[in-house]
Every structure is written in C-alpha cells, then in structure tokens.
Amino acid sequence: MRAGPIWAVMRAVWIELLRRRDLSVVAFLMAVYLLGVFAVRTAGIENPETGTLLLNLGLTLAAGAAHVLAVLMATRQVAEELEHRTLLTLLARPVDRTAVLAAKWLAVAVAGAACLAVLGGVAWLSVPRLESYHPGMLAQAVVAGALSVALAAALALALSLVVPKAVATLVTLGLVFGAGTLLPLLRIWADRRAAGPLWAWLLGYLPDFGKLDLVVRYTDGIAPLPAAEAGALFLYGGLFTAALLVLAAWRFRRMPL
C-alpha cells in the first residue's frame, strides 16, 4: 500500500474525530480543571504540597482523557465502518488489509498522543511549580505516556475484532485504569489455587498499564529511571503494542466482510 492511501485513511480517522463530540468532552473536563486551578491560585497556594497535588491531578487527568479518547476511537474503527458498509468500499480498492488496519491504529495513536501533549502541557503551565521536579523524569513520563496510549489503542482495536465494541471498550478501559490494582490481586488469587502457575502464565500476557504511568514519580521529584531500566520499560510497551497489532492484523485478514 502506497503512502498516499495510508495518509488518506489516517486523514479520514481524524476528520471523523472532529465531527464527533469527543474532543468537546475532553475540552470541558480540562476547562473544569483550569477553573479549579484558577480558584485555588486566587485564594493563594500556601504550601508546595498543594501545587504538587494540582500538578499531579492535571497530568493524571490529561493522561486519563487521552487514553479514553484513544480507546473510544479505536473500538469504532472497524465495527462502525462494517456497520455502515464504508469499509467495504475502501477494501474494494487494491489496498492491503494489514496496511489499512495499521493506518487506523497509527491515526488513533497520534490523536491520543496529541491530546496527551496538549492537555498535559496546559496542566503543566497552569500550576506554579513550588517544588523541584526533574526535567529528565518529565521526558520519560511523556514517552511512557505516549506508549501507553498507543498500547491502549492497539488493545482496543484488537479486541474490537473479536468481541462487541462495548465489551472491547470496557475491558480495555478496565485494564488501563485498573491494571495496577487488578493484576496484583489476580496474581495473589492465582497463587492460592491449584492452577496457580497456569493463571500466572496467562496473566503475564496482559499488559500492565500501571508500569507506564510515571506521573507520580515525576511529581514526587524522583530522579529519572536509569537508562537500562527506562529502555526495558519502553521495550515492554513497544513489544506488547507490536504483538497486539500482529494479532489484530491476523484476525482482520481472516474476517469475512
């Protein structure tokens, strides 16, 4: 598939995003946050801990909104186009299904990363930094956040090919926001059962989005991760994303349309 059709698919995804109300909801949430920050700043921020709390809240809100936006976009890419029969028109052209799917994922990942960057930048600029935060840790948190958004988009897209759109959305968002708590509890439960090793093996194939969330580490003023540890973390997110895309492409190529 040439670059022209790939760009056309990505552009169509972005145009559809602008036609919907998703961005309006995201903007509304950030506006509410900014009003809260303005009220606190007007009353006066008396201690550094308050500023850190507001910064953490803003960056967490930005990351959450970016993930939700990416998941909602990803789960409807194939399901809704099949429902409206528009995907059949596209695939009637001499294009490769894998390339179409990859272009859709890339468009979603770029949109989610852009949302993360814009909202995170607004949150970072709106709060006075009364404590010391390491810029290297901020860079790592941004890269890890973008990887997490791309991973969420890949997971949602892959699930939408095997289960209904609503189920794919709920499962993906559950893992995004609850994996840090849910997966350890599941591992403890698995260890107490006779099939513990089997469950532990299965749970190892679920992505832990909590590992890619470095916001708290940044706002706590902790130094950046060592190069080897940061590289391993980014590789973790990249390999999970690649594996999900391969599985999604395999499924998509075999779907009867």
Side-chain angles (χ1 to χ4, degrees):
M1 186 176 182
R2 302 184 305 277
I6 291 177
W7 174 251
V9 172
M10 295 176 64
R11 186 169 175 270
V13 172
W14 293 330
I15 291 175
E16 181 64 20
L17 171 63
L18 295 176
R19 288 176 178 171
R20 292 177 177 265
R21 297 181 179 179
D22 298 350
L23 291 180
S24 300
V25 174
V26 169
F28 174 77
L29 290 175
M30 185 51 64
V32 171
Y33 166 77
L34 290 176
L35 285 175
V37 171
F38 176 76
V40 172
R41 295 192 67 168
T42 301
I45 299 178
E46 300 179 355
N47 54 71
E49 290 77 11
T50 302
T52 297
L53 176 63
L54 289 174
L55 179 60
N56 183 284
L57 177 62
L59 295 179
T60 301
L61 177 62
H67 280 85
V68 171
L69 178 67
V71 170
L72 291 178
M73 288 180 65
T75 53
R76 65 178 178 237
Q77 288 309 306
V78 176
E80 291 193 1
E81 289 213 29
L82 283 176
E83 180 181 347
H84 299 148
R85 314 298 289 180
T86 55
L87 187 61
L88 299 181
T89 303
L90 174 62
L91 294 179
R93 300 171 178 268
V95 296
D96 182 67
R97 288 194 186 189
T98 299
V100 169
L101 195 71
K104 287 180 173 294
W105 166 80
L106 183 58
V108 172
V110 169
C115 177
L116 175 65
V118 172
L119 297 186
V122 169
W124 191 84
L125 292 172
S126 65
V127 178
R129 284 161 295 287
L130 304 178
E131 293 186 295
S132 177
Y133 309 111
H134 203 294
M137 188 66 250
L138 176 60
Q140 290 182 350
V142 170
V143 174
L147 267 175
S148 183
V149 170
L151 174 58
L155 177 59
L157 187 59
L159 286 176
S160 70
L161 299 176
V162 294
V163 297
K165 181 177 63 174
V167 176
T169 300
L170 290 175
V171 171
T172 305
L173 291 180
L175 285 174
V176 167
F177 295 108
T181 302
L182 180 62
L183 290 182
L185 291 177
L186 288 175
R187 291 189 182 102
I188 293 174
W189 173 80
D191 289 340
R192 296 178 179 176
R193 299 180 63 88
L198 175 60
W199 278 104
W201 179 78
L202 292 174
L203 291 174
Y205 285 90
L206 291 178
D208 186 350
F209 287 89
K211 294 183 181 209
L212 295 169
D213 184 2
L214 302 180
V215 169
V216 173
R217 186 180 178 95
Y218 168 67
T219 56
D220 282 349
I222 301 175
L225 296 169
E229 188 175 344
L233 180 64
F234 299 154
L235 184 62
Y236 172 86
L239 287 177
F240 258 113
T241 302
L244 286 167
L245 289 176
V246 169
L247 290 174
W250 177 84
R251 170 60 181 164
F252 190 50
R253 286 196 304 268
R254 286 158 179 75
M255 285 180 63
L257 300 178

